Amino acid sequence: MNPRILTLMVLAVLGGSLSYCNEIAKPCDPEKCLPPNCRCSGDNRPPGGLMPKNTPQTILVSFDDDVEKQYMDFYDQLFDGVRNPNNCPAVGTLFVSHNYTNYYLVEDAYSRGYEIADHTVTHQEPTTYWEYANFTVWKNEIRGQREILHRFANLPYDAIKGFRAPFLMFTENMYKVLFEAKFTYDLSWPLNIKFNGESPIGPMYPYTFDYISKQICPTVEEPCPKMSYPGLWEIPNVNIMNSDHSPCASMMDGCNPSGNASVWYEILLRNFHYHYDTNRTPFGMLMHPSYFYHGPAGDHLKAARKFLKYAESLGDVWILTASQVIDWMQDPQSIEKAKSFPPWQCPSRPPPRCSSSTANSCHYTEPRDFYMTTCTECPKHFPSPTDPDGN
């Protein structure tokens, strides 16, 4: 058999595409990498020729893993009464994994402006499961969770634009799936802020994988992508930094868990100004629900709320979803024009199809004891990577 035909048959079975397989990423050519769908990595300047002083500062708040009522209560309290300069409510991005998720709450959160992103079906341990996962495993986990979110939270497919890897364990196969499945962005790759003496050098802005990334690979094994994925964005996961400028953690809950409200307010303030006072790259408040359970009771929520109210008071700071940040990267607006920027307006979305009292509570004993709440009729089986419909 013709080797090329055989290759095509194998790719068809894997659900893959030749569009990336034979294209090693090259160093970025700024003459060819042009907006809105291409941006070189390593470019620390605001997009669109904006000067930092004319650039709106964005804050990207995100929460990982399953969605449960006690977690959503924390998220809603965090944003309660916080507004953007155009008077739209501040909201965040939920990177949702499947097990234990209440899909009525996901549907409700989406209706109120939250972005819902993909965080795989199982989010299982150990981390080596993801490190060595082949293309098919990643495909089933990523595309399976998008299907579950569509079917059981009634989300439009095109609303599920983003992804974060479990344990931030990103690999080449993961990026292949994201590109093949037409995701808009990934937010998995940790990045440290660099300093010149005592002065921070503004972090890297989001960029696309048309060309090879200049972002430092975090491990010796170098799982970082070497292939070209045109139009797929990476939002650098900027680490929280200690006061001595050493990296503390990629996620807020991994940094100073015993800190009280004043300690955490200072951490957020200092890290925010590493961005705000330099090149105004997006500032990430990236966390798991455990952040709210650490430290003295209620202190972490109190600190985060106080910080968001401080940011609100500055007048040129926007608390947005990850997709809204990418919308701005593709069509950058100055501080003066940001208030009328269409993607940053208050969303108008239909309410959930049911209420918390009328949602279906589905109970399963296989593969283990699971409950799943959804406005959709309960599927026969608990959805899985290879059976996202639960048929």
Side-chain angles (χ1 to χ4, degrees), residues 143-166:
R143 298 189 73 142
Q145 181 60 3
R146 183 165 64 178
E147 182 63 34
I148 289 169
L149 288 166
H150 169 70
R151 181 169 291 271
F152 299 107
N154 201 37
L155 299 186
Y157 286 116
D158 60 6
I160 307 164
K161 301 177 180 180
F163 179 77
R164 179 179 284 143

Side-chain angles (χ1 to χ4, degrees), residues 6 8 20 26 81 124 134 163 165 200 238 243 259 297 300 311 314 322 327:
L6 179 60
L8 287 167
Y20 52 75
K26 300 175 182 178
Q124 64 182 279
N134 62 25
F163 179 77
V238 180
S243 58
H300 286 190
L314 296 174
D327 289 334

